[in-house]
Amino acid sequence: MSDRKPIGMPFESWIDRQIREAQERGEFDDLPGAGKPLPGLDKPQDDMWWIKQKVESEGLAMPLPPTLALRRDAEEALREARGARTEAEVRRVLEAVNERIREAIRTGLSGPPLNLMPFDVDEEISEWRRAQG
């Protein structure tokens, strides 16, 4: 829109005129998504909707606070250890994540409380052996 609202014309009337003239010129014809429902109308209102939509459209992941990221990594490490093929692999996976947990406890991480203790590697290996039959 290159026009400026004329002095003395009510603001709403000026906007209505701009929209009507654009419609008459066909500027709203064949817009992408025309006739389709707006996505997310059935979801609860979220003030961060546009950020989440941009992150999703760009194929990115929402960054987690360091404490939550470490909790997630610890869960993934435990799953990986339980699916390991050898005891050595169980030990390697759990010791690696345990070192990160110990470092976080020692130095602290930003975010919610960590609420995470290092895994008992010997106990997890015993569980792994029982699961192997």
Side-chain angles (χ1 to χ4, degrees):
M1 282 201 260
S2 59
D3 292 344
R4 296 186 64 90
K5 180 182 86 57
I7 296 173
M9 179 179 271
F11 194 74
E12 192 170 340
S13 299
W14 179 73
I15 291 173
D16 291 337
R17 188 184 93 211
Q18 295 292 315
I19 292 171
R20 180 182 46 76
E21 289 174 356
Q23 285 174 323
E24 290 170 359
R25 289 190 303 270
E27 292 182 23
F28 297 119
D29 296 348
D30 302 321
L31 291 174
K36 297 178 184 172
L38 295 174
L41 282 182
D42 56 341
K43 296 180 183 173
Q45 186 173 354
D46 181 3
D47 292 337
M48 303 291 276
W49 68 269
W50 64 276
I51 294 173
K52 292 175 183 175
Q53 183 180 29
K54 181 66 175 171
V55 166
E56 184 179 324
S57 70
E58 295 291 329
L60 304 172
M62 291 291 281
L64 289 175
T67 54
L68 297 182
L70 182 53
R71 280 194 231 169
R72 181 201 58 210
D73 294 348
E75 289 173 7
E76 290 173 4
L78 186 57
R79 270 194 302 277
E80 183 181 344
R82 289 180 176 166
R85 290 186 281 204
T86 66
E87 287 183 30
E89 187 178 352
V90 173
R91 187 171 298 280
R92 179 188 56 76
V93 168
L94 293 179
E95 285 298 341
V97 77
N98 277 352
E99 181 54 38
R100 290 180 57 205
I101 294 169
R102 286 185 194 99
E103 180 66 19
I105 291 169
R106 212 174 16 254
T107 61
L109 290 177
S110 62
L114 183 59
N115 295 335
L116 190 61
M117 295 299 292
F119 293 105
D120 182 335
V121 176
D122 293 329
E123 179 61 32
E124 291 299 330
I125 287 175
S126 295
E127 288 290 326
W128 178 85
R129 283 182 190 142
R130 281 192 286 278
Q132 300 305 305

